Each structure stands twice: as structure tokens, then as C-alpha cells.
Amino acid sequence: MLKLIRAFLTAGVMENGLVGPVDEGTPQGGPLSPLLSNFVLDELDRELEQRKHCFVRYADDCNIYVRSRRAGERVKRSITGFIARRLKLRVNEAKSAVARPVERKFLGFSFTGAKEPKRRIAAKALMRFKQKVRELTVRTRGISIEQMTKELTSYLRGWKGYFGFSETPSVLERLDQWIRHRLRSVIWKQWRRGKAAKLRQRGVLGKLATNAAGSGHGPWRMGNSPAMSYAFPNAYFDSLGLPRLLVGK
């Protein structure tokens, strides 16, 4: 086991196709960090169990749940001292705090402030999700909507597999609507000419097609228009294999 750990630590990192040495630490994003954390912090788990604390830990990220802020401050001081004295480790004070669960996040999740708390996706995780979707659905990428949807599908499946356990379905439903809104705006942007004819081909008839084609509004506004919503309903994106984040929709 020690030989395997050493091999990981001395394997180096690849940058721009070249392997460089690592002087200290573990490679970012590698599987070794959580493994070593479990080795070293097993003693912390036992200490918390002995004290009968409610806690959850993943690698070096740990939350301890107590009944009051006063108890939280006391436990924080005590456990910080235990980690420093017994395990010879330093707690990151900048990332550590005593706060209500609704104010903190853990592995991308947080809790609602309701009487019966529910799991919700943390604000920063939602921001990262939206940023990634924006990158994949830039209207000037110059690729077909089918190819764009294929790339987006790959990302959404992985994200849904992790965050789909959220207990706030309204958030997932709004994200589904937002994603399809973006895709419709991409299609509108790609239709440089003959918009009325293309809308009619998609079943939009009469003044609805004519008025939409003659609109001076931009792609984002038109992506949510009645004409585009009728021409490209959710079923259209379902046919392209785009997954829905809200299960059952």
C-alpha cells in the first residue's frame, strides 16, 4: 500500500503534453487525496463517534451538527485542538465556521430553512452549472443544434446523476425551462433568412409566423416567443435525446 501511495505522489503531472515533477502535495483532482484523507481522518471519525456527535465527512470536508451556536463554538475549538495536537494537521480557518445548516454548503448541497428542511442545490453549484451551460450553448459557436444538444446531453446526464437528488423540484423545473429557452434562441440566431417559411415548416401558421419573422426583438426574447415555443416544444428536444433534470417531466 505504501509503494502504491508513493507511486501516486511521484508520478508527476502533465501540462501541455509534458510530464513535470511534483515537489509536494497530491495532484489536483486525483483519487489519492480522498484516500489519504480517509486514512488520516479515521481517528477523527472515532473521536466524534465517542463524543456522540452527529456528523458527516467526505475526504477532508466535515460537518458537525449541534443544537446551538454556543455548542458549535465549543465543539469547533475542541475539535480544532484535537486535529492539531493528535493528527498534526492544520484546520483551514477561512473555510470553517459555526452557522446554521441553511447558511452552509456540503458537497454542492445545502438545506432549505423550512420547518422540515429539504436538500437543495447550493447557490455556487447552480452558478457553475449555468456557466457551463452558457459555454455549451453560445449562439455564435457555429455548430448545428443537433451537435450542440449532443454535447449538452453528455454534461446534463452527469450533473443530473449527482444533483438529481435535490428535494426542491421547482429549481430543476426552472433550469429545464431555461435550457430549452437558450436552445430556441440559438435556433433563432442560426435562422438568418427565411424565418417565416421555416416557422411554417414547423407547423406555425398565419399571422403568428409572419409577426414573429418580422419582429425586431433579439434571439433571447424570440427564444421564448409563442411561435418558437410551438415550433420547438419540449418534445422536440426529447427527440434529440436531451434529458430533463426534473424526473417525471
Side-chain angles (χ1 to χ4, degrees), residues 34-164:
L35 177 65
L36 292 179
S37 295
N38 286 337
F39 284 159
V40 176
L41 297 179
D42 180 68
E43 192 169 353
L44 173 62
D45 294 344
R46 296 177 185 276
E47 179 69 16
L48 293 173
E49 290 172 353
Q50 184 176 346
R51 298 187 187 190
K52 300 187 184 304
H53 285 312
C54 294
F55 72 97
V56 57
R57 181 181 67 79
Y58 180 84
D60 61 346
D61 198 352
C62 182
N63 282 6
I64 305 172
Y65 301 100
V66 295
R67 292 185 179 275
S68 67
R69 175 172 290 276
R70 183 177 179 182
E73 297 288 357
R74 184 180 68 250
V75 171
K76 181 174 181 288
R77 288 194 301 271
S78 176
I79 293 300
T80 299
F82 172 83
I83 291 174
R85 293 190 309 272
R86 188 69 172 269
L87 304 182
K88 310 301 181 184
L89 298 174
R90 184 175 66 253
V91 173
N92 188 335
E93 292 291 343
K95 294 184 177 180
S96 301
V98 175
R100 295 176 60 83
V102 67
E103 300 170 6
R104 303 294 291 174
K105 65 180 181 67
F106 183 70
L107 303 179
F109 285 95
S110 184
F111 293 98
T112 64
K115 186 176 181 180
E116 295 184 5
K118 296 182 181 298
R119 278 191 313 276
R120 68 176 180 180
I121 304 169
K124 288 186 177 180
L126 286 174
M127 289 175 58
R128 288 194 297 268
F129 171 80
K130 286 192 169 184
Q131 181 58 36
K132 182 62 177 181
V133 171
R134 289 189 183 100
E135 293 173 1
L136 293 172
T137 57
V138 172
R139 291 192 287 268
T140 56
R141 287 191 66 194
I143 62 175
S144 67
I145 194 66
E146 291 80 11
Q147 179 61 31
M148 184 177 290
T149 303
K150 183 178 179 181
E151 295 178 9
L152 184 59
T153 294
S154 178
Y155 173 69
L156 291 181
R157 283 177 177 165
W159 192 89
K160 179 181 178 181
Y162 185 83
F163 287 103

Side-chain angles (χ1 to χ4, degrees), residues 108-109 120-134 137 152 155-156 159-160 163-166 168-184 220 224 234 237 242-247 249:
F109 285 95
R120 68 176 180 180
I121 304 169
K124 288 186 177 180
L126 286 174
M127 289 175 58
R128 288 194 297 268
F129 171 80
K130 286 192 169 184
Q131 181 58 36
K132 182 62 177 181
V133 171
R134 289 189 183 100
T137 57
L152 184 59
Y155 173 69
L156 291 181
W159 192 89
K160 179 181 178 181
F163 287 103
F165 295 100
S166 166
T168 52
S170 60
V171 174
L172 298 177
E173 186 173 19
R174 288 195 297 270
L175 290 176
D176 275 331
Q177 295 170 352
W178 176 72
I179 290 169
R180 283 146 185 80
H181 184 174
R182 287 193 64 85
L183 291 173
R184 292 186 187 105
W220 179 249
N224 202 36
N234 290 341
F237 298 106
L242 187 70
R244 300 197 190 193
L245 301 179
L246 181 58
V247 178
K249 287 292 185 176

